[in-house]
Amino acid sequence: MALLLLNNLILAFLLFFCIMIPKVSSHNRAYAPPSVARLTDLFGHVSVDQGFSTFFGGSNVKRINNGSMATLALDKSSGSGLVSRNKYYHGFFSAAIKLPSGLSSGVVLAFYLSNADSYPHNHDEIDFELLGHDKRNDWVLQTNIYANGGVSTGREEKFYFWFDPTAQHHYYSIIWNSHHIVFLVDNVPVREFPNTGAFSSVYPSKPMSVYVTIWDGSQWATHGGKYPVNYKFAPFVVSLAEMEMAGCVLSNSASAPASCSKGSASSLDPVDGQQFTTLSKQQVAALDWSRRKLMFYSYCKDTTRFKVMPPECK
């Protein structure tokens, strides 16, 4: 009898303990990020009116604060998006983004570079995709890279947030140059894709435009369509601010060189400085922190999907 009573007490304690532990969510993840250099402080902001035109869903694109900021909305009729007025060859690209709150499963906000309009059969792409992931009011971060039309080999990596991305604006930044591609969240590196030269066919190498879009990704953003967008909670509105685009601007004239925001017009790396060509010791430590604590999927570990791993994974 005493043993039975002890077992019941243990079970009751475990049940209470499980109830008291909060669900793992970006809304309550208690990680303090490492201290890193604020690269976003090094560049001026580009107003939405100055730097972007409407890509689609015009009625769902609202410019505010005299065109310095914008909101994009997804409703049952349409998503919406912006595209940069210029094409860029390498550079630093950043946006301060505040995601929709509430139940947003199936909603996708993408901040990315692409040249699919110019190279439909061999396009390049560098993606931040913020995914309304499931019915827990949670968002996850996905990064992806395509080169030369190789869309059959997605190079996805997925991360949890260490903050609530719906509470205020947070920085999402991309470094792209001849040395590496780096994805940063609030200036913390979460992924580095080096250009070693050994796998040049998988490294984006052609000028690209900058896009910000919101759309219905129910079929793939939520465990294969398990939690589709519930339009009862529409419109889903994202806020954009503090846009930064510093890079070589592609001229409309084929004979004219690209115009670089820093460095000479012939520079392959328009964003000059050691902090953009290699990660500092501080950034390397922060990259290790984000990948150990927050990454929950990498294509390089998906042996079910890839019988032979992509070459850069080895």
Side-chain angles (χ1 to χ4, degrees):
M1 178 66 70
L3 182 60
L4 180 61
L5 180 60
L6 178 61
N7 286 339
N8 288 339
L9 287 172
I10 291 172
L11 287 172
F13 172 77
L14 290 174
L15 179 61
F16 174 79
F17 185 72
C18 290
I19 292 173
M20 293 303 293
I21 293 177
K23 290 181 180 180
V24 176
S25 162
S26 61
H27 296 187
N28 56 33
R29 192 168 289 104
Y31 295 140
S35 177
V36 291
R38 290 182 55 85
L39 300 183
T40 49
D41 290 347
L42 301 180
F43 304 98
H45 300 152
V46 179
S47 73
V48 173
D49 269 352
Q50 176 188 353
F52 291 86
S53 57
T54 298
F55 181 38
F56 70 100
S59 62
N60 282 346
V61 177
K62 307 295 183 186
R63 290 166 172 81
I64 56 179
N65 286 4
N66 296 318
S68 64
M69 301 171 61
T71 61
L72 303 180
L74 166 68
D75 58 27
K76 202 163 186 177
S77 66
S78 176
S80 54
L82 298 167
V83 57
S84 62
R85 298 184 186 276
N86 294 318
K87 294 182 183 292
Y88 297 87
Y89 183 67
H90 294 165
F92 181 84
F93 309 93
S94 185
I97 299 172
K98 180 182 177 184
L99 294 174
S101 59
L103 185 62
S104 302
S105 60
V107 178
V108 176
L109 186 285
F111 173 57
Y112 65 105
L113 283 71
S114 176
N115 50 32
D117 58 330
S118 300
Y119 303 94
H121 303 297
N122 63 332
H123 85 283
D124 303 320
E125 202 168 299
I126 303 173
D127 300 337
F128 265 123
E129 294 165 325
L130 313 178
L131 313 179
H133 192 53
D134 57 32
K135 62 182 180 181
R136 295 179 304 167
N137 298 358
D138 211 358
W139 288 82
V140 299
L141 169 73
Q142 177 169 285
T143 64
N144 203 354
I145 296 169
Y146 296 118
N148 296 309
V151 294
S152 60
T153 305
R155 292 172 167 80
E156 302 94 341
E157 291 190 336
K158 295 182 180 181
F159 302 81
Y160 295 114
F161 287 102
W162 63 92
F163 53 80
D164 179 358
T166 72
Q168 62 186 44
H169 290 82
H170 291 269
Y171 295 106
Y172 302 85
S173 310
I174 295 169
I175 297 171
W176 170 45
N177 56 37
S178 64
H179 302 279
H180 57 186
I181 294 166
V182 184
F183 296 87
L184 308 100
V185 179
D186 283 348
N187 291 287
V188 174
V190 298
R191 180 179 184 180
E192 181 186 28
F193 191 81
N195 184 16
T196 64
F199 313 111
S200 58
S201 64
V202 302
Y203 196 83
S205 59
K206 299 182 290 294
M208 292 189 276
S209 300
V210 182
Y211 294 83
V212 191
T213 59
I214 186 171
W215 43 282
D216 186 332
S218 297
Q219 293 308 308
W220 64 273
T222 62
H223 311 285
K226 187 176 181 181
Y227 306 114
V229 174
N230 187 338
Y231 285 100
K232 181 175 72 174
F233 299 99
F236 304 96
V237 179
V238 61
S239 175
L240 307 174
E242 299 184 28
M243 310 299 292
E244 298 179 6
M245 297 184 290
C248 279
V249 177
L250 185 69
S251 170
N252 290 328
S253 170
S255 60
S259 172
C260 296
S261 57
K262 288 191 176 182
S264 68
S266 61
S267 171
L268 287 178
D269 299 307
V271 185
D272 296 327
Q274 185 73 15
Q275 67 267 47
F276 295 103
T277 59
T278 59
L279 297 180
S280 67
K281 289 184 179 179
Q282 188 184 48
Q283 289 174 317
V284 169
L287 177 67
D288 177 69
W289 172 85
S290 64
R291 297 179 74 77
R292 281 188 296 104
K293 289 189 174 293
L294 302 166
M295 187 172 73
F296 66 94
Y297 174 83
S298 173
Y299 74 105
C300 279
K301 299 183 183 298
D302 194 340
T303 55
T304 301
R305 179 180 171 193
F306 297 107
K307 303 306 179 185
V308 178
M309 281 293 162
E312 70 274 11
C313 294
K314 298 176 182 177

PDB file of all heavy atoms in Angstrom, residues 34-37 39 180 182-184 187-192 274-275 277-292:
ATOM      1  N   PRO A  34      23.797  36.723 -27.648  1.00  0.00           N
ATOM      2  CA  PRO A  34      25.145  37.243 -27.424  1.00  0.00           C
ATOM      3  C   PRO A  34      25.269  38.684 -27.905  1.00  0.00           C
ATOM      4  O   PRO A  34      24.507  39.147 -28.748  1.00  0.00           O
ATOM      5  CB  PRO A  34      26.028  36.310 -28.268  1.00  0.00           C
ATOM      6  CG  PRO A  34      25.168  35.150 -28.633  1.00  0.00           C
ATOM      7  CD  PRO A  34      23.768  35.634 -28.631  1.00  0.00           C
ATOM      8  N   SER A  35      26.234  39.380 -27.357  1.00  0.00           N
ATOM      9  CA  SER A  35      26.524  40.737 -27.795  1.00  0.00           C
ATOM     10  C   SER A  35      27.289  40.689 -29.116  1.00  0.00           C
ATOM     11  O   SER A  35      28.256  39.942 -29.261  1.00  0.00           O
ATOM     12  CB  SER A  35      27.352  41.458 -26.740  1.00  0.00           C
ATOM     13  OG  SER A  35      27.708  42.752 -27.165  1.00  0.00           O
ATOM     14  N   VAL A  36      26.836  41.466 -30.104  1.00  0.00           N
ATOM     15  CA  VAL A  36      27.467  41.489 -31.431  1.00  0.00           C
ATOM     16  C   VAL A  36      27.527  42.921 -31.946  1.00  0.00           C
ATOM     17  O   VAL A  36      26.816  43.808 -31.461  1.00  0.00           O
ATOM     18  CB  VAL A  36      26.693  40.623 -32.456  1.00  0.00           C
ATOM     19  CG1 VAL A  36      26.803  39.143 -32.136  1.00  0.00           C
ATOM     20  CG2 VAL A  36      25.225  41.049 -32.520  1.00  0.00           C
ATOM     21  N   ALA A  37      28.367  43.146 -32.941  1.00  0.00           N
ATOM     22  CA  ALA A  37      28.436  44.446 -33.591  1.00  0.00           C
ATOM     23  C   ALA A  37      27.123  44.727 -34.328  1.00  0.00           C
ATOM     24  O   ALA A  37      26.534  43.824 -34.927  1.00  0.00           O
ATOM     25  CB  ALA A  37      29.605  44.482 -34.574  1.00  0.00           C
ATOM     26  N   LEU A  39      25.739  45.909 -37.268  1.00  0.00           N
ATOM     27  CA  LEU A  39      26.013  46.258 -38.660  1.00  0.00           C
ATOM     28  C   LEU A  39      24.922  47.144 -39.247  1.00  0.00           C
ATOM     29  O   LEU A  39      25.180  47.949 -40.151  1.00  0.00           O
ATOM     30  CB  LEU A  39      26.174  44.988 -39.500  1.00  0.00           C
ATOM     31  CG  LEU A  39      27.304  44.034 -39.087  1.00  0.00           C
ATOM     32  CD1 LEU A  39      27.382  42.858 -40.059  1.00  0.00           C
ATOM     33  CD2 LEU A  39      28.645  44.757 -39.019  1.00  0.00           C
ATOM     34  N   HIS A 180      31.065  35.309 -48.895  1.00  0.00           N
ATOM     35  CA  HIS A 180      30.053  34.488 -48.224  1.00  0.00           C
ATOM     36  C   HIS A 180      28.698  35.178 -48.274  1.00  0.00           C
ATOM     37  O   HIS A 180      28.583  36.367 -48.602  1.00  0.00           O
ATOM     38  CB  HIS A 180      30.448  34.190 -46.771  1.00  0.00           C
ATOM     39  CG  HIS A 180      30.698  35.409 -45.927  1.00  0.00           C
ATOM     40  ND1 HIS A 180      31.176  35.337 -44.637  1.00  0.00           N
ATOM     41  CD2 HIS A 180      30.543  36.754 -46.158  1.00  0.00           C
ATOM     42  CE1 HIS A 180      31.302  36.551 -44.130  1.00  0.00           C
ATOM     43  NE2 HIS A 180      30.921  37.419 -45.033  1.00  0.00           N
ATOM     44  N   VAL A 182      25.641  35.749 -45.465  1.00  0.00           N
ATOM     45  CA  VAL A 182      25.369  35.643 -44.035  1.00  0.00           C
ATOM     46  C   VAL A 182      23.949  36.139 -43.776  1.00  0.00           C
ATOM     47  O   VAL A 182      23.553  37.211 -44.256  1.00  0.00           O
ATOM     48  CB  VAL A 182      26.366  36.467 -43.189  1.00  0.00           C
ATOM     49  CG1 VAL A 182      26.106  36.245 -41.695  1.00  0.00           C
ATOM     50  CG2 VAL A 182      27.805  36.102 -43.532  1.00  0.00           C
ATOM     51  N   PHE A 183      23.179  35.345 -43.031  1.00  0.00           N
ATOM     52  CA  PHE A 183      21.851  35.740 -42.573  1.00  0.00           C
ATOM     53  C   PHE A 183      21.972  36.176 -41.113  1.00  0.00           C
ATOM     54  O   PHE A 183      22.556  35.452 -40.292  1.00  0.00           O
ATOM     55  CB  PHE A 183      20.870  34.573 -42.659  1.00  0.00           C
ATOM     56  CG  PHE A 183      20.601  34.077 -44.059  1.00  0.00           C
ATOM     57  CD1 PHE A 183      21.418  33.114 -44.636  1.00  0.00           C
ATOM     58  CD2 PHE A 183      19.516  34.543 -44.781  1.00  0.00           C
ATOM     59  CE1 PHE A 183      21.170  32.629 -45.919  1.00  0.00           C
ATOM     60  CE2 PHE A 183      19.251  34.067 -46.065  1.00  0.00           C
ATOM     61  CZ  PHE A 183      20.078  33.118 -46.628  1.00  0.00           C
ATOM     62  N   LEU A 184      21.424  37.354 -40.791  1.00  0.00           N
ATOM     63  CA  LEU A 184      21.500  37.887 -39.439  1.00  0.00           C
ATOM     64  C   LEU A 184      20.111  38.302 -38.958  1.00  0.00           C
ATOM     65  O   LEU A 184      19.314  38.846 -39.734  1.00  0.00           O
ATOM     66  CB  LEU A 184      22.437  39.095 -39.357  1.00  0.00           C
ATOM     67  CG  LEU A 184      23.844  38.934 -39.936  1.00  0.00           C
ATOM     68  CD1 LEU A 184      23.921  39.560 -41.332  1.00  0.00           C
ATOM     69  CD2 LEU A 184      24.898  39.572 -39.035  1.00  0.00           C
ATOM     70  N   ASN A 187      21.120  41.496 -35.916  1.00  0.00           N
ATOM     71  CA  ASN A 187      22.585  41.539 -36.077  1.00  0.00           C
ATOM     72  C   ASN A 187      23.294  40.278 -35.590  1.00  0.00           C
ATOM     73  O   ASN A 187      24.518  40.189 -35.680  1.00  0.00           O
ATOM     74  CB  ASN A 187      23.173  42.777 -35.381  1.00  0.00           C
ATOM     75  CG  ASN A 187      22.778  44.066 -36.079  1.00  0.00           C
ATOM     76  OD1 ASN A 187      23.262  44.389 -37.160  1.00  0.00           O
ATOM     77  ND2 ASN A 187      21.860  44.810 -35.453  1.00  0.00           N
ATOM     78  N   VAL A 188      22.559  39.293 -35.106  1.00  0.00           N
ATOM     79  CA  VAL A 188      23.137  38.019 -34.677  1.00  0.00           C
ATOM     80  C   VAL A 188      23.187  37.079 -35.886  1.00  0.00           C
ATOM     81  O   VAL A 188      22.141  36.781 -36.474  1.00  0.00           O
ATOM     82  CB  VAL A 188      22.304  37.376 -33.551  1.00  0.00           C
ATOM     83  CG1 VAL A 188      22.836  35.974 -33.207  1.00  0.00           C
ATOM     84  CG2 VAL A 188      22.295  38.259 -32.316  1.00  0.00           C
ATOM     85  N   PRO A 189      24.363  36.593 -36.283  1.00  0.00           N
ATOM     86  CA  PRO A 189      24.416  35.650 -37.410  1.00  0.00           C
ATOM     87  C   PRO A 189      23.724  34.334 -37.047  1.00  0.00           C
ATOM     88  O   PRO A 189      23.977  33.766 -35.982  1.00  0.00           O
ATOM     89  CB  PRO A 189      25.920  35.427 -37.629  1.00  0.00           C
ATOM     90  CG  PRO A 189      26.605  36.532 -36.899  1.00  0.00           C
ATOM     91  CD  PRO A 189      25.706  36.901 -35.761  1.00  0.00           C
ATOM     92  N   VAL A 190      22.846  33.871 -37.933  1.00  0.00           N
ATOM     93  CA  VAL A 190      22.221  32.565 -37.733  1.00  0.00           C
ATOM     94  C   VAL A 190      22.677  31.557 -38.781  1.00  0.00           C
ATOM     95  O   VAL A 190      22.526  30.346 -38.590  1.00  0.00           O
ATOM     96  CB  VAL A 190      20.679  32.670 -37.735  1.00  0.00           C
ATOM     97  CG1 VAL A 190      20.192  33.545 -36.586  1.00  0.00           C
ATOM     98  CG2 VAL A 190      20.161  33.190 -39.063  1.00  0.00           C
ATOM     99  N   ARG A 191      23.251  32.062 -39.879  1.00  0.00           N
ATOM    100  CA  ARG A 191      23.719  31.137 -40.923  1.00  0.00           C
ATOM    101  C   ARG A 191      24.785  31.820 -41.781  1.00  0.00           C
ATOM    102  O   ARG A 191      24.639  32.993 -42.133  1.00  0.00           O
ATOM    103  CB  ARG A 191      22.558  30.703 -41.818  1.00  0.00           C
ATOM    104  CG  ARG A 191      22.952  29.735 -42.935  1.00  0.00           C
ATOM    105  CD  ARG A 191      21.756  29.320 -43.767  1.00  0.00           C
ATOM    106  NE  ARG A 191      22.101  28.330 -44.772  1.00  0.00           N
ATOM    107  CZ  ARG A 191      21.238  27.790 -45.638  1.00  0.00           C
ATOM    108  NH1 ARG A 191      19.968  28.154 -45.606  1.00  0.00           N
ATOM    109  NH2 ARG A 191      21.634  26.894 -46.517  1.00  0.00           N
ATOM    110  N   GLU A 192      25.835  31.076 -42.093  1.00  0.00           N
ATOM    111  CA  GLU A 192      26.855  31.527 -43.038  1.00  0.00           C
ATOM    112  C   GLU A 192      26.990  30.487 -44.140  1.00  0.00           C
ATOM    113  O   GLU A 192      27.103  29.292 -43.867  1.00  0.00           O
ATOM    114  CB  GLU A 192      28.208  31.721 -42.352  1.00  0.00           C
ATOM    115  CG  GLU A 192      29.287  32.224 -43.315  1.00  0.00           C
ATOM    116  CD  GLU A 192      30.679  32.284 -42.697  1.00  0.00           C
ATOM    117  OE1 GLU A 192      30.948  31.490 -41.762  1.00  0.00           O
ATOM    118  OE2 GLU A 192      31.498  33.095 -43.156  1.00  0.00           O
ATOM    119  N   GLN A 274      36.576  44.576 -43.072  1.00  0.00           N
ATOM    120  CA  GLN A 274      36.789  43.227 -42.576  1.00  0.00           C
ATOM    121  C   GLN A 274      35.510  42.612 -42.018  1.00  0.00           C
ATOM    122  O   GLN A 274      35.283  41.409 -42.108  1.00  0.00           O
ATOM    123  CB  GLN A 274      37.872  43.262 -41.475  1.00  0.00           C
ATOM    124  CG  GLN A 274      38.286  41.896 -40.931  1.00  0.00           C
ATOM    125  CD  GLN A 274      39.138  41.112 -41.909  1.00  0.00           C
ATOM    126  OE1 GLN A 274      39.649  41.691 -42.865  1.00  0.00           O
ATOM    127  NE2 GLN A 274      39.279  39.820 -41.679  1.00  0.00           N
ATOM    128  N   GLN A 275      34.622  43.477 -41.460  1.00  0.00           N
ATOM    129  CA  GLN A 275      33.417  42.958 -40.829  1.00  0.00           C
ATOM    130  C   GLN A 275      32.434  42.366 -41.829  1.00  0.00           C
ATOM    131  O   GLN A 275      31.469  41.717 -41.440  1.00  0.00           O
ATOM    132  CB  GLN A 275      32.729  44.043 -39.991  1.00  0.00           C
ATOM    133  CG  GLN A 275      32.134  45.205 -40.781  1.00  0.00           C
ATOM    134  CD  GLN A 275      33.093  46.366 -40.911  1.00  0.00           C
ATOM    135  OE1 GLN A 275      34.255  46.172 -41.239  1.00  0.00           O
ATOM    136  NE2 GLN A 275      32.594  47.568 -40.662  1.00  0.00           N
ATOM    137  N   THR A 277      33.683  40.711 -44.850  1.00  0.00           N
ATOM    138  CA  THR A 277      34.326  39.636 -45.611  1.00  0.00           C
ATOM    139  C   THR A 277      34.521  38.380 -44.778  1.00  0.00           C
ATOM    140  O   THR A 277      34.524  37.274 -45.318  1.00  0.00           O
ATOM    141  CB  THR A 277      35.681  40.092 -46.164  1.00  0.00           C
ATOM    142  OG1 THR A 277      36.536  40.494 -45.074  1.00  0.00           O
ATOM    143  CG2 THR A 277      35.507  41.275 -47.107  1.00  0.00           C
ATOM    144  N   THR A 278      34.696  38.541 -43.477  1.00  0.00           N
ATOM    145  CA  THR A 278      34.825  37.393 -42.575  1.00  0.00           C
ATOM    146  C   THR A 278      34.077  37.694 -41.290  1.00  0.00           C
ATOM    147  O   THR A 278      33.907  38.862 -40.912  1.00  0.00           O
ATOM    148  CB  THR A 278      36.304  37.086 -42.228  1.00  0.00           C
ATOM    149  OG1 THR A 278      36.879  38.257 -41.608  1.00  0.00           O
ATOM    150  CG2 THR A 278      37.095  36.712 -43.460  1.00  0.00           C
ATOM    151  N   LEU A 279      33.637  36.660 -40.606  1.00  0.00           N
ATOM    152  CA  LEU A 279      32.997  36.845 -39.310  1.00  0.00           C
ATOM    153  C   LEU A 279      34.057  37.077 -38.238  1.00  0.00           C
ATOM    154  O   LEU A 279      35.103  36.418 -38.222  1.00  0.00           O
ATOM    155  CB  LEU A 279      32.163  35.616 -38.949  1.00  0.00           C
ATOM    156  CG  LEU A 279      30.974  35.289 -39.860  1.00  0.00           C
ATOM    157  CD1 LEU A 279      30.259  34.045 -39.359  1.00  0.00           C
ATOM    158  CD2 LEU A 279      30.006  36.458 -39.963  1.00  0.00           C
ATOM    159  N   SER A 280      33.787  38.000 -37.326  1.00  0.00           N
ATOM    160  CA  SER A 280      34.679  38.234 -36.198  1.00  0.00           C
ATOM    161  C   SER A 280      34.557  37.083 -35.199  1.00  0.00           C
ATOM    162  O   SER A 280      33.639  36.250 -35.286  1.00  0.00           O
ATOM    163  CB  SER A 280      34.316  39.551 -35.513  1.00  0.00           C
ATOM    164  OG  SER A 280      33.040  39.449 -34.900  1.00  0.00           O
ATOM    165  N   LYS A 281      35.454  37.037 -34.241  1.00  0.00           N
ATOM    166  CA  LYS A 281      35.366  36.007 -33.194  1.00  0.00           C
ATOM    167  C   LYS A 281      34.035  36.125 -32.449  1.00  0.00           C
ATOM    168  O   LYS A 281      33.409  35.122 -32.108  1.00  0.00           O
ATOM    169  CB  LYS A 281      36.532  36.148 -32.221  1.00  0.00           C
ATOM    170  CG  LYS A 281      37.884  35.733 -32.795  1.00  0.00           C
ATOM    171  CD  LYS A 281      38.978  35.818 -31.738  1.00  0.00           C
ATOM    172  CE  LYS A 281      40.324  35.375 -32.306  1.00  0.00           C
ATOM    173  NZ  LYS A 281      41.406  35.469 -31.293  1.00  0.00           N
ATOM    174  N   GLN A 282      33.608  37.343 -32.224  1.00  0.00           N
ATOM    175  CA  GLN A 282      32.329  37.582 -31.561  1.00  0.00           C
ATOM    176  C   GLN A 282      31.169  37.042 -32.392  1.00  0.00           C
ATOM    177  O   GLN A 282      30.242  36.395 -31.876  1.00  0.00           O
ATOM    178  CB  GLN A 282      32.179  39.089 -31.332  1.00  0.00           C
ATOM    179  CG  GLN A 282      30.994  39.505 -30.497  1.00  0.00           C
ATOM    180  CD  GLN A 282      30.878  41.022 -30.423  1.00  0.00           C
ATOM    181  OE1 GLN A 282      30.946  41.718 -31.442  1.00  0.00           O
ATOM    182  NE2 GLN A 282      30.711  41.542 -29.221  1.00  0.00           N
ATOM    183  N   GLN A 283      31.220  37.273 -33.694  1.00  0.00           N
ATOM    184  CA  GLN A 283      30.156  36.792 -34.579  1.00  0.00           C
ATOM    185  C   GLN A 283      30.182  35.267 -34.720  1.00  0.00           C
ATOM    186  O   GLN A 283      29.138  34.633 -34.805  1.00  0.00           O
ATOM    187  CB  GLN A 283      30.276  37.457 -35.942  1.00  0.00           C
ATOM    188  CG  GLN A 283      29.901  38.924 -35.942  1.00  0.00           C
ATOM    189  CD  GLN A 283      30.178  39.580 -37.274  1.00  0.00           C
ATOM    190  OE1 GLN A 283      31.223  39.350 -37.887  1.00  0.00           O
ATOM    191  NE2 GLN A 283      29.253  40.413 -37.741  1.00  0.00           N
ATOM    192  N   VAL A 284      31.377  34.678 -34.763  1.00  0.00           N
ATOM    193  CA  VAL A 284      31.486  33.220 -34.829  1.00  0.00           C
ATOM    194  C   VAL A 284      30.861  32.587 -33.590  1.00  0.00           C
ATOM    195  O   VAL A 284      30.125  31.590 -33.678  1.00  0.00           O
ATOM    196  CB  VAL A 284      32.958  32.787 -34.979  1.00  0.00           C
ATOM    197  CG1 VAL A 284      33.104  31.277 -34.781  1.00  0.00           C
ATOM    198  CG2 VAL A 284      33.504  33.196 -36.339  1.00  0.00           C
ATOM    199  N   ALA A 285      31.132  33.168 -32.419  1.00  0.00           N
ATOM    200  CA  ALA A 285      30.535  32.660 -31.181  1.00  0.00           C
ATOM    201  C   ALA A 285      29.019  32.806 -31.204  1.00  0.00           C
ATOM    202  O   ALA A 285      28.283  31.910 -30.770  1.00  0.00           O
ATOM    203  CB  ALA A 285      31.127  33.385 -29.983  1.00  0.00           C
ATOM    204  N   ALA A 286      28.531  33.938 -31.738  1.00  0.00           N
ATOM    205  CA  ALA A 286      27.093  34.158 -31.818  1.00  0.00           C
ATOM    206  C   ALA A 286      26.440  33.199 -32.815  1.00  0.00           C
ATOM    207  O   ALA A 286      25.329  32.700 -32.585  1.00  0.00           O
ATOM    208  CB  ALA A 286      26.806  35.603 -32.219  1.00  0.00           C
ATOM    209  N   LEU A 287      27.125  32.927 -33.914  1.00  0.00           N
ATOM    210  CA  LEU A 287      26.628  31.967 -34.901  1.00  0.00           C
ATOM    211  C   LEU A 287      26.511  30.582 -34.277  1.00  0.00           C
ATOM    212  O   LEU A 287      25.503  29.883 -34.461  1.00  0.00           O
ATOM    213  CB  LEU A 287      27.561  31.933 -36.112  1.00  0.00           C
ATOM    214  CG  LEU A 287      27.223  30.932 -37.213  1.00  0.00           C
ATOM    215  CD1 LEU A 287      25.914  31.302 -37.903  1.00  0.00           C
ATOM    216  CD2 LEU A 287      28.355  30.860 -38.247  1.00  0.00           C
ATOM    217  N   ASP A 288      27.518  30.184 -33.530  1.00  0.00           N
ATOM    218  CA  ASP A 288      27.478  28.886 -32.846  1.00  0.00           C
ATOM    219  C   ASP A 288      26.326  28.841 -31.853  1.00  0.00           C
ATOM    220  O   ASP A 288      25.605  27.837 -31.761  1.00  0.00           O
ATOM    221  CB  ASP A 288      28.811  28.641 -32.140  1.00  0.00           C
ATOM    222  CG  ASP A 288      28.814  27.350 -31.346  1.00  0.00           C
ATOM    223  OD1 ASP A 288      28.782  26.273 -31.966  1.00  0.00           O
ATOM    224  OD2 ASP A 288      28.843  27.418 -30.094  1.00  0.00           O
ATOM    225  N   TRP A 289      26.121  29.933 -31.130  1.00  0.00           N
ATOM    226  CA  TRP A 289      25.021  30.000 -30.156  1.00  0.00           C
ATOM    227  C   TRP A 289      23.672  29.817 -30.839  1.00  0.00           C
ATOM    228  O   TRP A 289      22.838  29.024 -30.394  1.00  0.00           O
ATOM    229  CB  TRP A 289      25.065  31.356 -29.449  1.00  0.00           C
ATOM    230  CG  TRP A 289      23.882  31.635 -28.573  1.00  0.00           C
ATOM    231  CD1 TRP A 289      23.718  31.252 -27.276  1.00  0.00           C
ATOM    232  CD2 TRP A 289      22.682  32.345 -28.937  1.00  0.00           C
ATOM    233  NE1 TRP A 289      22.498  31.696 -26.801  1.00  0.00           N
ATOM    234  CE2 TRP A 289      21.852  32.360 -27.799  1.00  0.00           C
ATOM    235  CE3 TRP A 289      22.258  32.981 -30.092  1.00  0.00           C
ATOM    236  CZ2 TRP A 289      20.596  32.980 -27.803  1.00  0.00           C
ATOM    237  CZ3 TRP A 289      21.009  33.589 -30.100  1.00  0.00           C
ATOM    238  CH2 TRP A 289      20.202  33.584 -28.967  1.00  0.00           C
ATOM    239  N   SER A 290      23.436  30.534 -31.923  1.00  0.00           N
ATOM    240  CA  SER A 290      22.132  30.478 -32.584  1.00  0.00           C
ATOM    241  C   SER A 290      21.865  29.104 -33.178  1.00  0.00           C
ATOM    242  O   SER A 290      20.733  28.611 -33.139  1.00  0.00           O
ATOM    243  CB  SER A 290      22.037  31.561 -33.663  1.00  0.00           C
ATOM    244  OG  SER A 290      22.982  31.354 -34.696  1.00  0.00           O
ATOM    245  N   ARG A 291      22.887  28.468 -33.688  1.00  0.00           N
ATOM    246  CA  ARG A 291      22.691  27.172 -34.325  1.00  0.00           C
ATOM    247  C   ARG A 291      22.518  26.053 -33.285  1.00  0.00           C
ATOM    248  O   ARG A 291      21.750  25.118 -33.494  1.00  0.00           O
ATOM    249  CB  ARG A 291      23.840  26.881 -35.286  1.00  0.00           C
ATOM    250  CG  ARG A 291      23.892  27.893 -36.434  1.00  0.00           C
ATOM    251  CD  ARG A 291      25.025  27.660 -37.382  1.00  0.00           C
ATOM    252  NE  ARG A 291      24.796  26.507 -38.244  1.00  0.00           N
ATOM    253  CZ  ARG A 291      23.989  26.490 -39.299  1.00  0.00           C
ATOM    254  NH1 ARG A 291      23.298  27.574 -39.625  1.00  0.00           N
ATOM    255  NH2 ARG A 291      23.851  25.412 -40.025  1.00  0.00           N
ATOM    256  N   ARG A 292      23.204  26.163 -32.172  1.00  0.00           N
ATOM    257  CA  ARG A 292      23.057  25.147 -31.115  1.00  0.00           C
ATOM    258  C   ARG A 292      21.715  25.250 -30.420  1.00  0.00           C
ATOM    259  O   ARG A 292      21.069  24.235 -30.128  1.00  0.00           O
ATOM    260  CB  ARG A 292      24.178  25.286 -30.084  1.00  0.00           C
ATOM    261  CG  ARG A 292      25.511  24.709 -30.486  1.00  0.00           C
ATOM    262  CD  ARG A 292      26.488  24.715 -29.318  1.00  0.00           C
ATOM    263  NE  ARG A 292      26.806  26.061 -28.865  1.00  0.00           N
ATOM    264  CZ  ARG A 292      26.324  26.618 -27.763  1.00  0.00           C
ATOM    265  NH1 ARG A 292      25.475  25.931 -26.971  1.00  0.00           N
ATOM    266  NH2 ARG A 292      26.653  27.853 -27.415  1.00  0.00           N
TER     267      ARG A 292
END
